[in-house]
Amino acid sequence: MTSTVPALGTRTAEGSALQAVLLDMDGTLVDTEGFWWDAEVAVFGSLGHALDEAWREVVVGGPMTRSAGFLIEATGADITLPELTLLLNDGFEERISSALPLMPGAARLLAELAAHEVPTALVSASHRRIIDRVLTSLGPEHFALTVAGDEVERTKPYPDPYLLAAAGLGADPARCAVIEDTATGVAAAEAAGCHVVAVPSVAPIPPAYRRTVVPSLEHVNLPFLHGLMGY
């Protein structure tokens, strides 16, 4: 169900209630949400359909089955879900064939977590083929565990991916900090019982109990994450 990469270990930072950090990928660590939308626009354009810009907020952050299914229904395109999924993944991979842009603060945060041996997992609704490509830019050594959307029966907004990641790291979900950029991902993390840091990418996300909203990862560091466990 999961794919492990060179592990950082699973011990907690001494004296801290923070047991693990679980990070979303698209729009959180890598600036790829626009690439996904561009791929969707191009694929549907080839099918003779124009996408409404307002739909972008509907499809962002969700699993491929939900996003692609919505666009098929909204446009009436004559294509099956498996066929569309393949075309979208192909279109996305074409757009990330060169260097992939990281979100501001992402490289520094990953390096800080690694330096302090904080157990860290990558938890994405993207398929395994996409995650493995993106990991070459993020550095697979930064993650003890990765969870892909096509490796769980129910992906985001269900809690399953985050519960699976926490269990894989031997962590209590209530002692995990999750970093997400969409309402769908936030819902999954909160349903799993995690503390959430929301870094909105496409659509705004309001603050809430056990949810902290920041404008970018440049505002997130290890002391900040430790502090989340206090409420």
Side-chain angles (χ1 to χ4, degrees):
M1 298 292 288
T2 61
S3 173
T4 55
V5 291
L8 298 174
T10 56
R11 64 179 181 273
T12 60
E14 185 176 355
S16 171
L18 177 68
Q19 293 183 349
V21 177
L22 316 177
L23 301 113
D24 174 53
M25 187 178 75
D26 294 298
T28 298
L29 291 175
V30 287
D31 191 7
T32 51
E33 295 292 12
F35 291 168
W36 278 116
W37 180 248
D38 289 345
E40 288 159 350
V41 168
V43 168
F44 277 90
S46 70
L47 297 172
H49 298 276
L51 300 188
D52 189 323
E53 184 70 24
W55 296 342
R56 185 172 181 178
E57 291 191 14
V58 179
V59 300
V60 68
M64 178 72 76
T65 52
R66 190 199 73 182
S67 301
F70 168 83
L71 292 174
I72 290 174
E73 183 176 354
T75 61
D78 183 18
I79 189 170
T80 67
L81 186 58
E83 289 171 339
L84 179 57
T85 297
L86 180 61
L87 289 176
L88 291 177
N89 277 326
D90 287 346
F92 179 78
E93 283 198 83
E94 289 174 5
R95 286 163 172 77
I96 62 170
S97 58
S98 57
L100 193 60
L102 270 59
M103 298 298 287
R108 187 266 314 152
L109 177 59
L110 291 175
E112 184 178 5
L113 295 174
H116 290 85
E117 298 184 303
V118 177
T120 304
L122 185 68
V123 183
S124 176
S126 289
H127 289 186
R128 169 57 54 190
R129 60 178 282 195
I130 300 299
I131 287 181
D132 287 345
R133 284 290 302 275
V134 174
L135 277 172
T136 61
S137 294
L138 287 174
E141 69 278 5
H142 290 118
F143 305 98
L145 181 71
T146 63
V147 178
D150 57 341
E151 295 173 339
V152 290
E153 184 174 348
R154 302 187 307 172
T155 189
K156 305 173 188 180
Y158 293 100
D160 305 34
Y162 282 114
L163 291 174
L164 184 63
L169 295 177
D172 178 354
R175 295 300 179 184
C176 293
V178 169
I179 304 178
E180 274 280 359
D181 72 305
T182 67
T184 299
V186 166
E190 291 180 343
C194 304
H195 292 263
V196 178
V197 179
V199 191
S201 58
V202 175
I205 300 172
Y209 176 63
R210 290 167 66 92
R211 181 197 308 165
T212 303
V213 181
V214 297
S216 81
L217 291 180
E218 293 178 312
H219 293 257
V220 180
N221 55 26
L222 193 50
F224 173 90
L225 295 172
H226 284 316
L228 296 178
M229 299 297 111
Y231 76 98

